[in-house]
Amino acid sequence: MTGRRAFPFSAIVGQEEMKLAILIAAIDPGIGGVLVFGDRGTGKSTAIRALAALLPEIPVIEGCPYRCDPGDEPSLCAECRGRRPLRTAMAPVPVVDLPLGATEDRVLGALDIQRALAEGVKVFEPGLLARAHRGFLYIDEVNLLEDHLVDLLLDVAASGENVVEREGLSIRHPARFVLVGSGNPEEGELRPQLLDRFGLSVEVTTPRDLPSRIEVIRRRDAFERDAAAFTAHWSGAEATLRHRILTARTRLPDITLPDAALERAARLCLALGTDGLRGELTLIRAARALAAFEGEAEVDDTALRRVAPPALRHRLRRNPLDEAVSTTRVERAIAEVFVP
């Protein structure tokens, strides 16, 4: 995160599906991240930075380059495990940008050349994955990301750990983050292996109605003229939303999952012909997070219907006999499976 003030999440106009998907990923980071495809200038990067600024600061171990969680002993890095006593501090939730042209060393981390030359010691210089631990890793134009970086991300996303073995170094450190990717589908498709790693996929479009466009301009202009006053104006809404997120995280383990909900999820994925079982698992996790956010006690049809499009639209096989876009196919299947 930079020192620049973030636009309030609550003040973002429209884009309800994108905002909901990001909130769900914040409540349950294990869902697997969010992919946002659509027009430029529709608030994709604004939303993710706004959410990170909205979330409360996290406890970290003072001096740890990976911001290890003092309350999670098994996931501590090797340096923190050998350090006693552990001093704690509070730090903001990080948002780290991964540029398309980033080198492998910059992403993974590498030998600190300056210290090696000046002091003759081998010291690891953490990369972008270390900085993103316990936060968000944001990739704009993710569909244009080079293949070797895609492979690196797949490995780390699957294990939650970054392993660097090069130049005489052997380093392991935790690297668990919410992966957020954005892009324009007209500029190229995402590799299937990476596409499958995203838990939710949303589509954003430029507002087509005049009132929405006017309100976007009005709020952005007010923010740029006096960011402090604008942020203060929205502080009440931000506090309410922050409380809902924290309450949802607390309630998440207690949300029940009826057999009827499991059957609905399985029937929907069967109707759509999704590969594997990741679709059902993501659909259930997202519905549980939504139920917690809405204050419900169990997963019901309403929650499943709301999260089905973002959870499943990017998992559909191409059907040469059906030219309908993926969102239409999901909505059609929902209408068939969720019969009143």
Side-chain angles (χ1 to χ4, degrees):
M1 290 284 289
T2 66
R4 185 179 178 183
R5 192 183 296 270
F7 190 86
F9 190 88
S10 304
I12 297 174
V13 178
Q15 309 299 6
E16 299 302 329
E17 186 183 61
M18 175 180 68
K19 291 190 292 186
L20 181 62
I22 294 174
L23 285 171
I24 287 173
I27 293 168
D28 183 3
I31 283 174
V34 181
L35 178 64
V36 185
F37 266 153
D39 303 334
R40 293 187 181 90
T42 49
K44 299 187 290 289
S45 60
T46 297
I48 184 61
R49 286 173 173 76
L51 179 67
L54 169 70
L55 297 175
E57 293 187 334
I58 55 177
V60 300
I61 294 177
E62 198 173 273
C64 175
Y66 315 114
R67 287 181 304 281
C68 280
D69 183 354
D72 188 4
E73 184 78 24
S75 70
L76 296 182
C77 66
E79 185 178 341
C80 287
R81 289 176 184 170
R83 187 192 306 171
R84 291 295 184 274
L86 294 177
R87 296 182 178 179
T88 62
M90 302 300 291
V93 175
V95 176
V96 177
D97 290 290
L98 196 159
L100 293 180
T103 63
E104 194 169 310
D105 284 352
R106 186 180 178 191
V107 176
L108 295 179
L111 178 69
D112 187 331
I113 299 298
Q114 290 185 342
R115 293 192 61 181
L117 294 176
E119 305 174 22
V121 295
K122 291 182 178 180
V123 178
F124 179 66
E125 184 177 4
L128 296 178
L129 297 183
R131 289 173 51 198
H133 179 51
R134 302 179 67 200
F136 298 86
L137 183 65
Y138 178 66
I139 311 171
D140 194 16
E141 306 295 347
V142 65
N143 46 325
L144 303 181
L145 194 65
E146 295 183 14
D147 286 349
H148 73 282
L149 293 181
V150 171
D151 292 335
L152 294 177
L153 286 176
L154 289 173
D155 290 342
V156 176
S159 65
E161 184 179 55
N162 182 32
V163 180
V164 181
E165 294 184 346
R166 60 174 66 180
E167 300 161 337
L169 293 172
S170 181
I171 302 291
R172 291 175 176 266
H173 69 78
R176 292 187 298 276
F177 44 79
V178 176
L179 184 62
V180 181
S182 65
N184 188 332
E186 296 178 357
E187 297 177 350
E189 295 185 350
L190 199 62
R191 275 180 56 181
Q193 298 93 326
L194 184 57
L195 182 65
D196 189 52
R197 285 293 173 184
F198 284 97
L200 305 173
S201 173
V202 299
E203 299 171 349
V204 295
T205 58
T206 304
R208 303 300 179 192
D209 63 294
L210 186 61
S212 293
R213 296 175 79 104
I214 292 174
E215 189 60 26
V216 170
I217 298 169
R218 178 183 290 117
R219 293 185 186 183
R220 191 71 210 187
D221 180 65
F223 176 73
E224 291 177 354
R225 284 174 176 271
D226 191 339
F230 186 83
T231 302
H233 175 75
W234 286 91
S235 61
E238 292 284 272
T240 298
L241 184 56
R242 183 183 301 113
H243 177 72
R244 290 185 67 186
I245 294 171
L246 296 178
T247 301
R249 287 178 175 177
T250 302
R251 297 184 68 250
L252 191 61
D254 300 323
I255 303 298
T256 58
L257 182 63
D259 289 343
L262 286 172
E263 182 177 338
R264 293 279 205 191
R267 285 184 180 276
L268 185 57
C269 291
L270 279 172
L272 290 167
T274 57
D275 290 327
L277 295 174
R278 192 166 284 159
E280 283 98 326
L281 294 172
T282 303
L283 179 58
I284 289 299
R285 290 192 72 155
R288 181 182 277 122
L290 177 58
F293 182 68
E294 297 292 354
E296 303 292 340
E298 65 178 25
V299 174
D300 58 14
D301 285 357
T302 300
L304 288 171
R305 291 175 71 114
R306 285 184 66 186
V307 300
L312 301 177
R313 64 161 58 96
H314 58 304
R315 306 181 191 278
L316 307 187
R317 299 178 186 176
R318 293 184 181 274
N319 186 350
L321 301 179
D322 189 348
E323 295 297 328
V325 295
S326 58
T327 300
T328 302
R329 290 171 61 188
V330 173
E331 290 174 349
R332 200 164 55 201
I334 290 173
E336 294 173 358
V337 172
F338 292 85
V339 179

